[in-house]
Amino acid sequence: MRFVPITLKHSAAKVDRRSAVRSMLLIFAAVVIAVTGMVFTALDRVGHYANQLDEERSRESVSGALQTFQRQLAATLHDYAAWDDAADHVYRSSGLVWAKRNFGAMTDNNELFDVAIIVDHTGRIVLGYSEGEPVTGSLEDYITPEVWSLLDKIRSAREGVLPEETSFTRTSRGAAAFGVALIRMKSGQLVAPQGEGRYVIFMRHLTEATVDRLANAYVLPGLRIEQPLEQKSHRVLILSPAGKPIASLRWEPRSPGNISLAQVRPLVWCAVAMVAIYFVLLFVSGSQALARLSADEEAAIKLSLTDRLSGLPNRTGLFADLSELVGTAQRSGLDVALLYLDLDGFKEVNDAYGHATGDQLIRAVSAGLAVLVGEGAVLARLGGDEFAIGFLSKNAEADAAALAERVMEFLGEPLTMGDRIAVIGCSIGIACSPLGAVAGEEVLRRADMAMYRAKEEGRGRWSAYDPAMDAEREERNRLELDLRQAIEREEISVAFQPVVDAQHMRLSGVEALARWTRQGHGPVPPDVFIPIAESTGLIDQLGLCVLRTACEALRDWPELTLAVNVSPGQFRDPAFAERVALVFQETEMDPARITLEMTETYFIQNPARARDTLNRLKKTGVHIALDDFGAGFSSVGYLRQFGFDRMKIDRSLVAAADLGGRAVDMLQATVALARSLDIPVTAEGVETNAQAVALRIAGCDQLQGFLFGKPMPIAEIARLRQREEPLFRLSGLA
Ligand code: C2E
Ligand code: CA
Ligand code: CA
């Protein structure tokens, strides 16, 4: 058989967490980048603004320097042109010497002007000096179109308008400020008639030395004169009278913004780096803590889904796995099969050999099943001695049945636990979820129910879920309800089975047995309703009711003993002994006539508490018998250990007496052992003469069974009491 392989994943949470960590990291990075970007943008803005401010200041300074330069020339020009001596000499031909000395010679090494030219009203040059020397070459080099334009302007100026103008021009020696003025009296009075005046032209070149001086005076580092350029930054254009660029003054920008930025930037980077490091450290420690936490959480989850003893998934783990299986089945068109296993003899092994051995057995079974089932299926321990196997299959029912057979075969083999060997079988319930149509929990419930059916049908077998089982479960529920009502309405009656003394076969006592006739259904056997009463807690009421009825019935027949059955469930009531004593008191029954019969289960499970209850019961004066000896695991040792007053050997052992041989030897040895401990023995289920003979020989002092009488109403016991002769005459006695 092949399972369809499955992979179960519990790692969704881990994936979630990882992506959360990743997105957190991204957010951190984005925040750091955004903050860095904002800080640097702001710094850049501040820097840029500072640069701009400085550019404007420098531009104002340079423009101011140029204006001052021009104004100085204008002032000098005014001093020389509106000068009485000049007006006196320049208009006369004899005055040329004076003009050479006072104008021409002054151009040498002069801070105020370096070119002086005098022209008459026709434009003819009267005198031309440059740097202290007469201009030898072409004077046209100095009389540029700009100069002509101002000259024309002054020549045609109306009266009353100041006949002086300054501007800039470019000569062969470079850019220069120049001025043109009419030579006149200081008072403004003209020497020649209007239109026939003489004019002086002064120039001052923007030489490198001059520019340097300007730079120093106006604190403009790197100021120099250049050809006019389109580029406008760090430059002021020098314009001709017509507004044409002649040259430009360029300065070195100080860029204070850049300087401050350069100083601040490393600090800011440092701060950003520190913040980034802080974030990284925070993130690292955070994610470490997170990883630790999630590892812890994962371990806790895993632990909560795992059974400690076997290491297999527990019930919760199985639920998780099952719902995954069902989901997969729905998607892939497969069926889910589930086997519910319950070990048959586990409780007995546990009770007989102790819990340590029981644990070993569970581990051994788990390991064996794991090997048997293999990788393709889910194997879980549901607690106690219950296991489940789930798998996906195309042919679930057949595969599940085949697997059940193999599991039973495996568990049918003897298992070794340390130095002990035990054979335990198992009962298996099977339920399927075709195409995943039945939910995981429901499949589990169905498999559980099927397993109970297998148990009921005699263990060591498997059974598949059938919807009829649900109906039966319901019927059981109704039965429980009816039983509850019957107890409340006191409809439980008591039958009495005769017990004879083995010596004379005369009636020596009775055993009280509960009887229930269910309304509308007829009699229900005690083997059916007693287990229901036990599992629902109704047994407390029922047991005391039987005891009270029996006591009342037997009160007036002091020669008869009375045996009453007690269920382990009744022992759980801490006041049980007191309640029993109260019944004796109320019914005025002598406790010494009564024997309470108990099976060994409770003594094996809770030895300490059992002994305690037993002692308290015995204090009321009642006797205690160990019932069904030979049907379970009890040994003669128990009799002594718990101080039983009587032993009742089970019908199964009695029936073996018919077979003779070893069975009879065993029977005889058991009875002999009990008698050696001074414990009297009752044999029950005696049906044949041969059994009765063998039991009497073995040493039983009381016999009970259909041979002497079935359980009967009290009235019949009353008649039997009256009989003188024995209830049965044994034949074949030696
Ligand atoms: P038990 O205590 O072992 O009772 C003896 C059972 O064996 C009775 O079955 C009785 O009818 C049956 N029996 C007696 N002699 C023979 C015989 O020769 N051949 C065969 N085949 N059977 C014989 P019953 O009345 O059906 O009771 C079954 C069991 O139900 C009892 O087994 C006892 O464990 C339980 N039970 C009955 N009444 C009460 C009760 O009031 N309280 C408690 N706790 N359990 C009760
Ligand atoms: Ca009994
Ligand atoms: Ca019995």
Side-chain angles (χ1 to χ4, degrees), residues 209-225:
T210 312
V211 171
D212 281 349
R213 263 200 305 282
L214 282 178
N216 279 335
Y218 290 89
V219 198
L220 294 162
L223 190 70
R224 58 182 189 278
I225 189 128

Side-chain angles (χ1 to χ4, degrees), residues 511 565 597 599 627-629 648-651 684 704:
E511 177 176 359
N565 295 288
E597 297 186 356
T599 53
D627 204 354
D628 297 348
F629 189 94
K648 268 186 110 166
I649 44 179
D650 191 61
R651 205 163 69 224
E684 67 178 337
Q704 180 186 347

